[in-house]
Amino acid sequence: MAASKNYGPTRLVVGAHYGVIDFIAQRITAVIMAIYTLVLIVGMLVMPSFSYESWKALFTFRVYAIPVGQILATLFFLALAWHAWIGVRDIWMDYVKPAGVRMLLQVLTILWLVGSVVYFAQILWSI
């Protein structure tokens, strides 16, 4: 009986460098969120009052008819959703061992995140 080879060119490699790409993606999304948070804090500090009109202006300002406030907020929320997906997916992969339960949790997480992004876009872009 021949022993199975677990090395060399016949070895099945799954997910090579998978963690590196996720690590980089999570760091990039964190930087996007940090920069937007700083921009939002500066905007709140220079805001004349905490009224509805001031808050609306903070998220809907335009530069040459381009809705910069809405684009930046959307970029932030997409980065937040992607950041959350990577983190929660890693938690499910590390701590939930039954494959069926893990897959169900991942699908529910995706549905929740997509629903959140759609709801956010509906609110922001209807202002």
Side-chain angles (χ1 to χ4, degrees), residues 87-107:
V88 173
R89 188 206 59 215
D90 287 349
I91 291 170
W92 296 148
M93 288 177 16
D94 288 345
Y95 296 110
V96 179
K97 295 305 175 192
V101 175
R102 183 173 55 236
M103 182 65 73
L104 174 67
L105 289 171
Q106 288 177 343
V107 168

Side-chain angles (χ1 to χ4, degrees), residues 1 3-4 12 26 29 55 66-67 69 71 80 84 86 99 111 115-117 122 124 126:
M1 184 186 312
S4 65
L12 178 62
Q26 198 151 38
T29 56
W55 278 101
I66 298 172
I71 291 171
L80 177 66
I86 293 170
L111 291 175
S116 297
V117 168
Q122 178 185 4
L124 181 68
S126 68

Side-chain angles (χ1 to χ4, degrees), residues 51-75:
S51 64
Y52 172 76
E53 291 77 22
S54 297
W55 278 101
K56 183 178 175 183
L58 190 61
F59 291 101
T60 60
F61 71 92
R62 295 177 176 271
V63 176
Y64 298 116
I66 298 172
V68 176
Q70 290 169 314
I71 291 171
L72 291 176
T74 302
L75 179 64

Side-chain angles (χ1 to χ4, degrees), residues 36-62:
Y36 182 76
T37 301
L38 291 175
V39 168
L40 200 59
I41 289 171
V42 168
M44 288 185 335
L45 290 175
V46 299
M47 201 173 2
S49 65
F50 285 108
S51 64
Y52 172 76
E53 291 77 22
S54 297
W55 278 101
K56 183 178 175 183
L58 190 61
F59 291 101
T60 60
F61 71 92
R62 295 177 176 271

Side-chain angles (χ1 to χ4, degrees), residues 1-46:
M1 184 186 312
S4 65
K5 284 175 47 176
N6 202 15
Y7 58 90
T10 60
R11 179 175 176 216
L12 178 62
V13 179
V14 178
H17 302 290
Y18 186 64
V20 173
I21 293 171
D22 287 342
F23 178 84
I24 293 170
Q26 198 151 38
R27 287 345 177 241
I28 290 171
T29 56
V31 167
I32 291 170
M33 291 186 297
I35 291 171
Y36 182 76
T37 301
L38 291 175
V39 168
L40 200 59
I41 289 171
V42 168
M44 288 185 335
L45 290 175
V46 299

